[in-house]
Amino acid sequence: NAGVTQTPKFRILKIGQSMTLQCTQDMNHNYMYWYRQDPGMGLKLIYYSVGAGITDKGEVPNGYNVSRSTTEDFPLRLELAAPSQTSVYFCASSPPAAGGISPLHFGNGTRLTVT
Amino acid sequence: GENVEQHPSTLSVQEGDSAVIKCTYSDSASNYFPWYKQELGKGPQLIIDIRSNVGEKKDQRIAVTLNKTAKHFSLHITETQPEDSAVYFCAAISSRGSQGNLIFGKGTKLSVKP
């Protein structure tokens, strides 16, 4: 299994441009997540999905959109890029588990710079 | 909501020494506490986790302890090696929340000097 695959690895955007960060997983996990990581700030949840067709906001959803049309894919959309969205973005997935909590499997991230 | 504090932010040890990283949480309903290791240029990877019905868990050189009364949990790495150098994150989730409510600490950068 490839696990969680994110593309692209790096991207530079101009203010106001839009882009989609791609994420796909081949582990048949129900749950998928998008986090952003800023220096010294840990990981903040942007959006998550408990299955195809279902998405929900996390802690920092403003400026982002997601969709989940298949179990495998969970793209993150930035419509009007702003410098505050400069960050490293991580996609993750997890299987359903007893008690509703299971470990997250992360991709290797997309480093985005908005100038 | 849940808040997770992690200390120290940086930790430097000599190879062979032990390293301890501590986290505190605020929500007494939290019941799952994972630890992730992040190497440079990669995503975080789970190294050990503990649930609230257990006080300690070990996996070779790594152990995690949980004190529910004091609401803190710690990661212990013994006989450190240079390949242990990385950023370590603790996290907590409340049973009241959904799977999406995993809250992370801000991370500890561990450096192991040969």
Side-chain angles (χ1 to χ4, degrees):
Chain A
N1 288 348
V4 179
T5 302
Q6 292 183 239
T7 57
K9 288 183 170 37
F10 304 94
R11 183 72 186 268
I12 298 174
L13 282 181
K14 294 189 184 301
I15 295 171
Q17 286 186 321
S18 62
M19 78 162 293
T20 299
L21 283 68
Q22 301 291 347
C23 175
T24 187
Q25 53 93 8
D26 61 359
M27 297 173 284
N28 201 33
H29 286 172
N30 292 45
Y31 295 91
M32 295 189 75
Y33 315 80
W34 275 105
Y35 285 89
R36 59 176 288 171
Q37 183 178 40
D38 299 307
M41 295 302 293
L43 294 115
K44 301 286 187 183
L45 183 65
I46 304 171
Y47 270 96
Y48 68 103
S49 169
V50 301
I54 306 170
T55 62
D56 209 346
K57 295 179 180 179
E59 187 179 356
V60 289
N62 292 345
Y64 307 95
N65 279 299
V66 293
S67 59
R68 185 92 182 272
S69 57
T70 66
T71 299
E72 295 79 19
D73 301 308
F74 191 40
L76 178 71
R77 179 82 177 164
L78 283 70
E79 290 293 350
L80 291 170
S84 60
Q85 293 177 306
T86 293
S87 189
V88 181
Y89 292 84
F90 288 99
C91 179
S93 70
S94 66
I101 301 169
S102 56
L104 273 60
H105 300 252
F106 284 88
N108 283 330
T110 294
R111 183 176 294 275
L112 176 67
T113 302
V114 182
T115 62
Chain B
E2 176 65 281
N3 184 49
V4 176
E5 299 283 341
Q6 183 172 347
H7 299 281
S9 56
T10 60
L11 180 60
S12 182
V13 299
Q14 285 295 131
E15 182 177 359
D17 288 349
S18 295
V20 180
I21 303 169
K22 298 181 179 180
C23 288
T24 60
Y25 60 97
S26 60
D27 189 346
S28 57
S30 289
N31 60 351
Y32 176 65
F33 307 92
W35 285 90
Y36 287 84
K37 175 184 181 181
Q38 185 178 27
E39 297 176 342
L40 195 61
K42 296 189 176 182
Q45 184 174 15
L46 180 76
I47 54 171
I48 196 167
D49 57 9
I50 191 168
R51 297 183 187 267
S52 60
N53 57 349
V54 175
E56 183 176 4
K57 184 177 179 180
K58 289 184 179 180
D59 183 2
Q60 299 181 352
R61 295 185 297 109
I62 294 173
V64 57
T65 58
L66 172 65
N67 183 325
K68 289 171 55 180
T69 303
K71 290 190 283 187
H72 67 71
F73 56 111
S74 300
L75 178 71
H76 304 254
I77 306 175
T78 59
E79 300 173 20
T80 54
Q81 301 167 2
E83 51 265 39
D84 294 328
S85 295
V87 179
Y88 291 81
F89 292 95
C90 64
I93 188 168
S94 166
S95 59
R96 284 195 286 251
S98 69
Q99 174 79 355
N101 283 354
L102 191 62
I103 304 298
F104 285 84
K106 294 184 177 180
T108 296
K109 184 176 182 180
L110 174 64
S111 300
V112 180
K113 299 182 178 180

